[in-house]
Amino acid sequence: MDVTEMRRQFADCSASLFREGYLDSQFTQLQQLQDESNPDFVEEVVSLFFDDSERLLNDLTLSLEQETVDFKKVDAHVHQLKGSSSSIGAQRVKNTCIAFRNCCEMQNTEACCACLQQVKQEYFLVKNKLQTLLRMEQQIVAAGRSIPIME
């Protein structure tokens, strides 16, 4: 595949992530911080998000499996996940965390478990899509071209 086609596919993939609500303008701001002096900035930030999110999702799962659920602890984990999601522009994960926090406030274990499943689903969807986008970016850069940035 030629580089022009790769760049077009990258732009299409990126646009669909915004159009479908997976990402918001915060992700564009991250992309704009990447330059020649820090060419892997977005990949590094997204990788940290993945690591942090998976740890938090595991902590949430364990917390909700307890006989007596500590809703303050669950809410703290959800709040942290919401902040991480917001910082990279993972809009659908962030929005699901907002609903999750409402369930924590009501101390509803069943609703919290349902929200956890929804957060996991949204997280793994955005992770898969971001990994695809980052792979495309690596191929374009390896071919010696620049990445089209969404405005």
Side-chain angles (χ1 to χ4, degrees):
M1 180 183 325
D2 77 332
V3 180
T4 303
E5 178 62 15
M6 284 191 291
R7 292 182 88 227
R8 187 194 61 73
Q9 285 184 359
F10 177 88
D12 289 348
C13 179
S14 186
S16 76
L17 290 174
F18 287 92
R19 189 175 51 254
E20 295 169 20
Y22 288 102
L23 298 176
D24 62 23
S25 62
Q26 185 62 33
F27 188 77
T28 304
Q29 290 177 16
L30 283 179
Q31 287 178 311
Q32 291 170 344
L33 293 172
Q34 183 165 291
D35 59 19
E36 295 83 34
S37 66
N38 199 355
D40 299 324
F41 179 74
V42 173
E43 184 177 356
E44 289 169 5
V45 171
V46 169
S47 182
L48 289 171
F49 167 70
F50 292 159
D51 293 344
D52 192 43
S53 295
E54 290 184 25
R55 178 187 55 78
L56 288 167
L57 290 171
N58 286 332
D59 290 347
L60 282 164
T61 300
L62 292 173
S63 293
L64 288 170
E65 288 173 347
Q66 300 303 308
E67 196 169 312
T68 303
V69 175
D70 181 347
F71 288 99
K72 284 189 186 290
K73 184 176 181 181
V74 171
D75 185 61
H77 291 315
V78 176
H79 181 71
Q80 196 174 354
L81 181 59
K82 179 179 158 262
S84 296
S85 302
S86 183
S87 71
I88 71 145
Q91 180 173 273
R92 285 170 51 164
V93 175
K94 177 191 75 177
N95 291 343
T96 306
C97 286
I98 292 168
F100 197 160
R101 292 195 72 201
N102 291 334
C103 293
C104 289
E105 196 173 293
M106 293 184 295
Q107 299 192 2
N108 183 331
T109 303
E110 192 175 307
C112 283
C113 288
C115 283
L116 175 59
Q117 293 312 308
Q118 190 176 1
V119 166
K120 284 181 177 181
Q121 181 179 345
E122 292 297 342
Y123 166 73
F124 286 111
L125 281 169
V126 79
K127 179 180 181 182
N128 188 352
K129 291 176 182 297
L130 281 172
Q131 286 175 324
T132 299
L133 192 71
L134 292 172
R135 255 192 316 277
M136 294 169 116
E137 181 179 309
Q138 289 170 344
Q139 291 172 344
I140 293 167
V141 170
R145 297 293 300 271
S146 63
I147 304 303
I149 301 223
M150 300 303 292
E151 296 295 330

